[in-house]
Amino acid sequence: MASVPSLASTVQQRLAEGLSAALPEAGSADPLLRRSDRADFQANGILALAKRFKGNPRELATKVVESIPANDVLKEIEVSGPGFLNITVSDAAIVETLAARAADARLGVPLNEAAGTTVIDYAQPNVAKEMHVGHLRSAVIGAAMVEILEFTGETVVRRHHIGDWGTQFGMLIQYLIEHPHELDHEGDGAEVSGEEAMSNLNRLYKASRALFDSDEGFKTRARARVVDLQAGDEETLALWQRFVDESKIYFYSVFDKLDMDIRDPDVVGESGYNDMLQETCRLLEESGVAVRSEGALCVFFDDVKGPDGNPVPLIVQKSDGGFGYAATDLSAIRDRVQNLKATSLLYVVDARQSLHFKMVFETARRAGWLNDEVKAVQLAFGTVLGKDGKPFKTREGETVRLVDLLDEAIDRASAVVREKARDLTEAEIVERGAQVGIGAVKYADLSTSAARDYKFDLDQMVSLNGDTSVYLQYAYARIKSIFGKAGDRTPLAHPELELAPAERALGLHLDQFGETVAEAATEYAPHKLAAYLYQLASLYTTFYDQCPVVKPAPAKEVAENRLFLCDLTARTLHQGMALLGIRTPERL
């Protein structure tokens, strides 16, 4: 189906035609249309045009209005102030446009036929280490961007760049060789839980670290094991793989609790680029992008200096021949551009790594791996804070385990659902509690601009009042309950009816869904979609209070039109929340 034009685009077209007729020399000038609290829309572009062509803006505005032929979209155009146009659209145009959206399975969200391929690097836990609150934002923001970009037509390749390589594995593998049953599971053949897998890894890590710090002989053997790992020794690699597999059991259990789809082929850790590191260094050195400095292979930048004023380089290869994060990240760019044919690389990574990625991206540009056709962007995110505004810690000052945080959110949400539940079974309360709790955590993250820090406040997150996912979920469930009371009346658009103010406000906002999703995709800004959905739920609440749908029963056509608005609101909430990775249960 062809893209459904929004009211804004239709009004824009009518105004542009009027401008061209009134001022042909302006060509295809932009009337600069925007939503307004003085009318439905306001156009501000005439002031700049009048200045450019040395005319009177009010006179030009009047001439533009006179040049617009009579039509069924624009009800009233008022010339205001120095030359603004305040535009009111007809009720019929609102309902007809919404009817076209309702007939479209995509609800009017444009599909970009010329979209490219984006590789999204997100949700990057470390092997043999527990996931903590710091892993939350990359996973939640990245998963939402996957959904939004795919829905708007982009081909998306997921990449989970897990930390699965490095010197600590020498210590872990050597300990496992000397204590071969440390990763064994209770009940041979039974399915292993994420908690059991993490418990094994934690115990082994602590024991091996204690031995490494206290036993020089073990420390020597562990360091030799790192060399064996990097050299590809079969026994060492097999044991390393056990750590990776055990960690995946744990990772997947956490992601499953987060209601996120993580697929095994998408998990390509640091180790996945080992075979490319030498060649990456050779290409950088031969092209002159990187140079040797005190034995290390470095890339220098004019605008990156340390506190002493000396240049701070990106170190691609250390003086001892070892490789750092830069070599791996640059190799990953080569792979994603050359093998995955990416046109965009999106890195959902903590803002504290911004300097590293700035240098990596600039190095890749100098090497020709990034260019005008291939861009790389860091979607940098801020820190999760506690209620006190400080980095989120336990009372003992330790980093909060992610699984504990999610379990508490589910417990709190389940209490809210249980309190409100009318006719839900215990199994349904448990299911809804998980959907509401995880939705609350995701929405709190996504409703804040990624670049900002935000406070993790579970009391607020699971509140039925304010800007929370629970408020949106209850709005959706409330709408679905109306249809159970509607009897034989069905949703049907009636463009001939006059709309009440609350109906007009809701309708005009529903019309903006397509543009909002497109903007969230283009700007990598899921918070804009979250803000839209909260406003939609708020406008629906006003509509629900002011415009009876079932009781007291309005006239048949009015009831059908209001049911139509209810239905489109529910579908828009459901689709919008799905793009954020949040469930919308029909009964709460």
Side-chain angles (χ1 to χ4, degrees):
M1 177 179 274
S3 179
V4 179
S6 67
L7 264 175
S9 64
T10 303
V11 172
Q12 173 101 355
Q13 185 180 349
R14 298 280 195 280
L15 289 179
E17 290 167 357
L19 263 172
S20 295
L23 194 65
E25 59 269 36
S28 56
D30 186 350
L32 298 180
L33 190 73
R34 62 178 181 82
R35 288 299 307 274
S36 170
D37 55 3
R38 295 175 179 272
D40 296 334
F41 298 97
Q42 187 176 79
N44 302 334
I46 291 173
L47 276 74
L49 279 173
K51 184 177 180 182
R52 180 175 151 202
F53 291 100
K54 298 182 171 51
N56 181 302
R58 272 192 74 88
E59 289 177 6
L60 177 57
T62 303
K63 193 175 177 184
V64 169
V65 173
E66 292 169 349
S67 301
I68 297 174
N71 62 82
D72 55 0
V73 175
L74 306 179
K75 179 181 178 182
E76 183 184 354
I77 308 180
E78 174 201 18
V79 178
S80 172
F84 301 125
L85 295 182
N86 289 332
I87 300 142
T88 302
V89 297
S90 68
D91 290 350
I94 294 174
V95 177
E96 286 169 357
T97 301
L98 294 183
R101 285 183 174 269
D104 177 19
R106 298 178 53 77
L107 300 175
V109 177
L111 185 67
N112 184 0
E113 304 286 356
T117 297
T118 295
V119 175
I120 302 187
D121 190 323
Y122 70 108
Q124 310 107 343
N126 293 310
V127 166
K129 289 184 180 177
E130 221 161 359
M131 291 177 71
H132 54 76
V133 68
H135 291 110
L136 179 65
R137 300 206 72 185
S138 177
V140 170
I141 296 169
M145 284 314 309
V146 167
E147 297 298 328
I148 291 169
L149 288 174
E150 283 189 335
F151 192 66
T152 52
E154 192 79 0
T155 299
V156 176
V157 180
R158 301 158 170 84
R159 276 294 174 266
H160 307 295
H161 190 86
I162 63 171
D164 66 350
W165 205 248
T167 54
Q168 77 272 21
F169 286 99
M171 175 183 81
L172 292 166
I173 293 167
Q174 188 59 38
Y175 189 86
L176 190 58
I177 286 172
E178 297 176 16
H179 303 80
H181 300 295
E182 283 295 309
L183 283 183
D184 291 351
H185 296 118
E186 300 172 13
D188 191 33
E191 189 173 329
V192 182
S193 70
E195 279 293 314
E196 185 187 346
M198 195 64 243
S199 174
N200 278 347
L201 290 166
N202 265 341
R203 186 180 66 251
L204 195 148
Y205 186 88
K206 287 176 182 175
S208 63
R209 168 55 68 182
L211 196 59
F212 187 86
D213 291 340
S214 63
D215 185 329
E216 284 299 321
F218 177 77
K219 183 182 289 188
T220 301
R221 295 193 299 278
R223 285 176 171 160
R225 187 61 58 181
V226 175
V227 177
D228 293 339
L229 177 65
Q230 292 173 341
D233 173 68
E234 283 190 20
E235 180 197 18
T236 306
L237 279 175
L239 292 170
W240 166 80
Q241 189 64 51
R242 283 193 67 187
F243 282 101
V244 173
D245 293 342
E246 192 83 3
S247 298
K248 281 184 178 179
I249 295 170
Y250 164 68
F251 295 158
Y252 292 169
S253 73
V254 178
F255 289 128
D256 186 56
K257 188 163 290 198
L258 262 172
D259 196 15
M260 280 175 52
D261 179 24
I262 301 288
R263 306 166 192 165
D264 216 49
D266 303 331
V267 180
V268 182
E270 295 167 353
S271 64
Y273 306 101
N274 283 344
D275 293 344
M276 300 177 69
L277 301 181
Q278 289 285 3
E279 187 180 13
T280 295
C281 291
R282 179 182 64 76
L283 291 170
L284 290 173
E285 190 167 13
E286 286 180 358
S287 63
V289 171
V291 295
R292 292 286 168 183
S293 176
E294 298 179 21
L297 186 62
C298 303
V299 182
F300 290 91
F301 309 86
D302 292 338
D303 58 344
V304 183
K305 293 183 170 61
D308 56 3
N310 292 326
V312 176
L314 180 72
I315 300 175
V316 184
Q317 187 176 27
K318 302 170 190 173
S319 56
D320 64 1
F323 301 101
Y325 292 124
T328 304
D329 287 333
L330 287 164
S331 298
I333 288 176
R334 286 178 54 217
D335 175 63
R336 292 166 184 184
V337 173
Q338 295 165 6
N339 297 328
L340 301 179
K341 307 302 180 188
T343 50
S344 298
L345 305 177
L346 183 61
Y347 291 77
V348 188
V349 183
D350 192 314
R352 287 171 291 191
Q353 296 187 46
S354 292
L355 179 59
H356 169 78
F357 279 101
K358 177 186 173 184
M359 293 195 290
V360 165
F361 295 163
E362 175 57 26
T363 299
R365 271 189 288 272
R366 291 180 188 178
W369 304 327
L370 296 177
N371 49 49
D372 292 343
E373 283 73 47
V374 186
K375 66 175 181 177
V377 177
Q378 182 192 0
L379 205 177
F381 56 82
T383 305
V384 180
L385 307 175
K387 288 185 186 180
D388 57 3
K390 297 176 181 176
F392 201 17
K393 303 280 186 183
T394 65
R395 287 178 183 171
E396 294 74 34
E398 296 177 0
T399 303
V400 179
R401 294 195 330 154
L402 182 53
V403 72
D404 291 342
L405 182 149
L406 298 178
D407 284 342
E408 187 179 355
I410 291 169
D411 288 345
R412 296 276 194 96
S414 298
V416 171
V417 173
R418 192 180 302 280
E419 183 185 331
K420 293 286 181 182
R422 295 284 184 272
D423 53 355
L424 297 180
T425 65
E426 183 60 27
E428 287 173 325
I429 290 172
V430 170
E431 181 190 34
R432 302 297 193 280
Q435 292 174 345
V436 172
I438 296 304
V441 170
K442 288 182 176 180
Y443 186 83
D445 191 318
L446 294 169
S447 60
T448 304
S449 170
R452 292 175 52 197
D453 299 342
Y454 81 97
K455 291 183 182 179
F456 196 94
D457 182 349
L458 272 177
D459 293 329
Q460 174 57 30
M461 287 180 187
V462 299
S463 170
L464 285 165
N465 303 309
D467 189 4
T468 68
S469 69
V470 192
Y471 176 68
L472 302 183
Q473 288 169 321
Y474 267 92
Y476 178 78
R478 174 192 278 176
I479 299 172
K480 299 305 283 187
S481 72
I482 287 173
F483 290 98
K485 305 168 187 171
D488 60 353
R489 295 187 175 182
T490 56
L492 186 63
H494 284 277
E496 75 279 5
L497 293 177
E498 184 177 336
L499 298 178
E503 292 174 304
R504 287 188 109 260
L506 179 61
L508 285 166
H509 192 67
L510 281 166
D511 182 55
Q512 291 180 276
F513 182 58
E515 292 169 352
T516 302
V517 174
E519 188 178 344
T522 303
E523 299 181 12
Y524 304 136
H527 70 281
K528 293 195 172 184
L529 176 57
Y532 169 88
L533 294 172
Y534 172 60
Q535 192 176 355
L536 177 61
S538 301
L539 288 167
Y540 180 80
T541 299
T542 304
F543 160 82
Y544 181 82
D545 291 342
Q546 297 180 5
C547 303
V549 180
V550 178
K551 292 182 180 179
K556 180 174 182 289
E557 291 79 7
V558 173
E560 288 175 341
N561 200 58
R562 288 177 178 172
L563 280 169
F564 163 71
L565 289 173
C566 288
D567 182 56
L568 187 55
T569 300
R571 287 173 61 195
T572 304
L573 278 172
H574 176 75
Q575 181 62 74
M577 294 284 268
L579 293 178
L580 297 179
I582 299 173
R583 304 275 179 178
T584 42
E586 296 199 358
R587 292 165 62 234
L588 278 173

